[in-house]
Amino acid sequence: MDALMQFLLSGMTVGAVYALVALGFTIIYNASDVVNFAQGEFVMLGGMITVFAHAAGLPLPLAALIAIVLTALVGVALNKLAIEPARGAPVVSLIIITIGASIVIRGAAQLIFDKQLHRFPSFSGDEPIRLLGAAILPQSLWVVGGAFFIFIGLWVFFTKTLTGKAVLATANNRLAAQLVGINTGWVMTLSFSLSAAIGALAGVLVTPITLVAYDVGVGLALKGFAAAMLGGMGNPKGALVGGILLGLLEAMTAGYLSSQYKDAVAFIVILAVLFAMPQGIFGAKRTERV
Amino acid sequence: MTLLQVEGLGISFGGLRAVNDVGFSASAGEIVSVIGPNGAGKTTLFNMISGVYLPDRGRVMLDGQDVTRFEPHLLARMGMTRTFQNLQIFQDMTVLENVIVGFHLAERGHLLADLLALPGTKRRSAEVREKAMALLTRVRLDKAAEQVAGNLSYGALKRLEIVRALAMSPRVLLLDEPAAGCNAVETEEIDAFIAELAATGIGILLVEHDMKMVMRISNHIVVLDHGEKIAEGKPDEVSRNPEVISAYLGTVDAEQDEQDEEDEKEATHAVG
């Protein structure tokens, strides 16, 4: 029983990170139909920039803020330099462009920073909190809380504000959105920066637990992608549920089977989803009108 | 007063001159129709005027301002919008929501006020809802307001697209085959509706295949054939013009013309 509780807690923590990555996928996918495989690099940049800004003597909150802003700018640059010039190319080409961009960002991070593993201190110390016979790090609460906060923030943004609705309209029909006066180019820029900022925030929150290095982005992107697929690509609720579910599955596998198979879970999930229910848990069935 | 002026507009796709040196003008409250055989370049002309294609040559003036190469969202803000032959509807939204989106330019509010759902925001939303319902009632779609747009019939979506455009209170409205796929009764309704709109001072540019409708409601007709303007004038002048008649009914070397049309259709299809 204690073990189960422990697995649940650690699964929630990891799952919250996957959910944040999946939310990043969702935002860009909604605005452009592109699955942005550089999403994991945003997480890495968030962690790495915070580490180095903190090491340079800045207080942690300021370092984190700088990391989030800089990463958002990288997201905008990705859109302006790589995606926008290829506008009109098939979506598959755009997805391959994002894979290329992720390699570039990773290489640049290796050059600018280094190849070491890094961390910075936890926000509220490292004294584990006892909870129903299991232990949880205070930083885990930060991660889970952060994921829920972002999720609710996004929900309010997309359902209550005109700007958020403009993004949804663009997702629904780009040309129709332009016809009613929505600047769809700006919507794309906004989506990339928002997505990058959320990725960076995930990096900031999780680095004290999992550490960060220039190459952590690949794994996170794949896990986040699996989570988004599981929940239903393009649905924020799906991203949250898919992320947490995947985290729990991983933790259970590591706990009850073998931690060797932990990373295989994400890929089994991708395959199972594609075979059994390609639209995911919350994904709408798509019918093309002819 | 000239509201929309098109001068020497042209575009080529590869070596093909899809539209070449076309010019005309439209005033407030006027219905100008662009007609021509299939593949004459009517929709391509519309796409250039509305900023969907970038023209190679020529100018588009809206109310005296050069708006050539402006993106559709900027044109919408300046009072020019359009409908599409093959519909551009927000399929996943309800019918009412589609129209409400059309009002969004007028609905500008403060982000913070929206986030907090202040009374001002609520009042504005309620007003917009009411106005959207009024528009839907005009085209008899009020009963379908809460349905998902994707479930509606083609004819109903045509009308929905027009009222969404109207939600922006445009000064110039481009309608690409508004009556296509509609039955005789629906066509007559749309017909009357367009005339009504023009009477309120909106300049209307129309592409339509239904000749009876065009002849009945147009103030001015521009005839295209093979991307060139071959005639323009009042409906009765145009319908008597021998060049127009030969473009529609064919001449002695009609077979060759048909071949050209096919080519052009393919070319426009490829880029569209």
Side-chain angles (χ1 to χ4, degrees):
Chain A
M1 187 61 212
D2 286 359
L4 177 66
M5 195 64 207
Q6 188 64 57
F7 298 150
L8 280 177
L9 288 179
S10 60
M12 282 289 277
T13 309
V14 186
V17 176
Y18 296 162
L20 282 173
V21 179
L23 280 172
F25 272 117
T26 301
I27 294 167
I28 292 183
Y29 178 81
N30 272 343
S32 66
D33 284 337
V34 172
V35 178
N36 171 32
F37 277 102
Q39 191 63 37
E41 311 313 322
F42 295 151
V43 183
M44 178 273 290
L45 284 177
M48 285 297 250
I49 297 173
T50 309
V51 164
F52 279 80
H54 185 55
L58 292 175
L60 198 51
L62 185 60
L65 187 68
I66 288 174
I68 291 169
V69 171
L70 282 181
T71 309
L73 290 177
V74 171
V76 172
L78 172 66
N79 178 41
K80 289 279 173 213
L81 302 178
I83 303 293
E84 218 173 76
R87 192 77 246 162
V91 169
V92 175
S93 309
L94 295 176
I95 293 173
I96 293 171
I97 288 175
T98 68
I99 297 177
S102 81
I103 296 172
V104 170
I105 296 173
R106 210 176 316 141
Q110 190 183 346
L111 282 175
I112 297 170
F113 306 116
D114 58 23
K115 297 196 213 174
Q116 310 301 315
L117 275 171
H118 295 281
R119 72 168 298 210
F120 45 79
S122 306
F123 301 170
S124 318
D126 292 316
E127 192 62 41
I129 302 167
R130 293 260 142 213
L131 193 69
L132 300 171
I136 184 170
L137 288 173
Q139 190 66 27
S140 294
L141 296 179
W142 276 98
V143 175
V144 175
F148 277 99
F149 177 76
I150 291 291
F151 175 76
I152 289 165
L154 282 179
W155 181 78
V156 171
F157 175 68
F158 281 124
T159 56
K160 301 286 173 210
T161 73
L162 216 50
T163 314
K165 286 177 179 175
V167 178
L168 291 184
T170 306
N172 202 238
N173 186 333
R174 167 178 297 268
L175 194 50
Q178 287 189 323
L179 292 179
V180 296
I182 294 170
N183 184 346
T184 53
W186 186 78
V187 165
M188 284 287 282
T189 303
L190 177 74
S191 302
F192 271 86
S193 60
L194 196 60
S195 184
I198 290 173
L201 178 70
V204 170
L205 293 175
V206 83
T207 295
I209 304 176
T210 61
L211 310 190
V212 66
Y214 78 99
D215 60 354
V216 297
V218 191
L220 283 169
L222 283 170
K223 302 281 177 65
F225 178 65
M229 291 288 293
L230 177 61
M233 194 48 117
N235 186 325
K237 205 165 51 184
L240 185 73
V241 173
I244 300 221
L245 217 54
L246 182 65
L248 290 174
L249 277 172
E250 262 195 34
M252 296 301 160
T253 310
Y256 290 114
L257 286 173
S258 153
S259 55
Q260 304 256 307
Y261 289 131
K262 180 173 74 91
D263 287 333
V265 171
F267 302 102
I268 293 169
V269 164
I270 292 184
L271 288 177
V273 168
L274 286 179
F275 281 130
M277 44 168 194
Q279 74 278 11
I281 299 174
F282 292 105
K285 276 215 167 69
R286 289 211 163 259
T287 43
E288 204 70 32
R289 196 188 176 101
V290 283
Chain B
M1 183 196 71
T2 303
L3 200 51
L4 179 74
Q5 178 128 23
V6 177
E7 296 166 9
L9 216 54
I11 191 169
S12 305
F13 299 120
L16 180 95
R17 291 191 161 190
V19 172
N20 191 27
D21 194 22
V22 172
F24 61 87
S25 64
S27 309
E30 198 181 21
I31 300 177
V32 176
S33 292
V34 180
I35 62 169
N38 277 328
K42 304 182 293 289
T43 296
T44 308
L45 177 67
F46 258 42
N47 282 343
M48 287 191 288
I49 297 173
S50 60
V52 177
Y53 291 167
L54 302 179
D56 297 331
R57 302 169 292 278
R59 292 200 300 173
V60 179
M61 310 283 285
L62 179 62
D63 221 357
Q65 193 187 345
D66 191 339
V67 295
T68 324
R69 294 169 162 271
F70 273 37
E71 286 183 59
H73 71 92
L74 286 176
L75 292 173
R77 284 167 198 204
M78 297 175 66
M80 175 156 88
T81 189
R82 67 171 291 181
T83 65
F84 277 78
Q85 187 184 338
N86 48 359
L87 297 173
Q88 294 296 337
I89 291 285
F90 299 108
Q91 304 271 1
D92 301 339
M93 297 186 193
T94 68
V95 170
L96 183 62
E97 281 167 350
N98 262 280
V99 184
I100 289 176
V101 177
F103 277 107
H104 98 281
L105 284 179
E107 209 196 339
R108 275 283 138 85
H110 279 289
L111 188 68
L112 202 64
D114 289 355
L115 278 171
L116 300 174
L118 293 182
T121 302
K122 282 190 179 155
R123 181 161 28 80
R124 218 175 41 231
S125 305
E127 276 171 18
V128 163
R129 253 182 111 80
E130 222 164 87
K131 280 194 254 177
M133 276 310 284
L135 278 177
L136 285 174
T137 311
R138 278 177 75 179
V139 291
R140 293 189 302 107
L141 283 174
D142 46 327
K143 295 219 169 54
E146 297 303 330
Q147 281 194 44
V148 174
N151 297 341
L152 262 61
S153 74
Y154 186 79
L157 289 179
K158 281 269 171 197
R159 284 178 283 157
L160 175 59
E161 204 184 10
I162 297 175
V163 289
R164 186 188 63 198
L166 286 179
M168 280 174 274
S169 328
R171 290 184 294 164
V172 178
L173 181 57
L174 283 67
L175 301 170
D176 195 349
E177 301 205 19
C182 297
N183 62 36
V185 180
E186 287 174 329
T187 304
E188 214 158 291
E189 276 176 14
I190 288 184
D191 193 343
F193 189 45
I194 293 173
E196 228 175 276
L197 296 180
T200 65
I202 302 175
I204 290 177
L205 205 55
L206 182 70
V207 164
E208 186 50 65
H209 272 299
D210 187 331
M211 275 309 130
K212 266 198 271 174
M213 172 175 171
V214 168
M215 291 300 163
R216 201 165 46 221
I217 68 173
S218 306
N219 301 111
H220 192 84
I221 295 180
V222 177
V223 190
L224 294 188
D225 191 24
H226 294 123
E228 311 249 359
K229 184 172 78 178
I230 58 169
E232 79 175 302
K234 292 199 160 53
D236 52 334
E237 291 165 18
V238 165
S239 63
R240 285 197 306 267
N241 185 317
E243 256 195 278
V244 177
I245 295 168
S246 80
Y248 267 92
L249 300 177
T251 50
V252 189
D253 52 325
E255 264 173 301
Q256 179 55 42
D257 280 349
E258 252 170 45
Q259 187 55 47
D260 290 350
E261 264 168 41
E262 288 292 328
D263 293 349
E264 187 167 354
K265 238 196 306 196
E266 265 172 40
T268 43
H269 190 72
V271 286

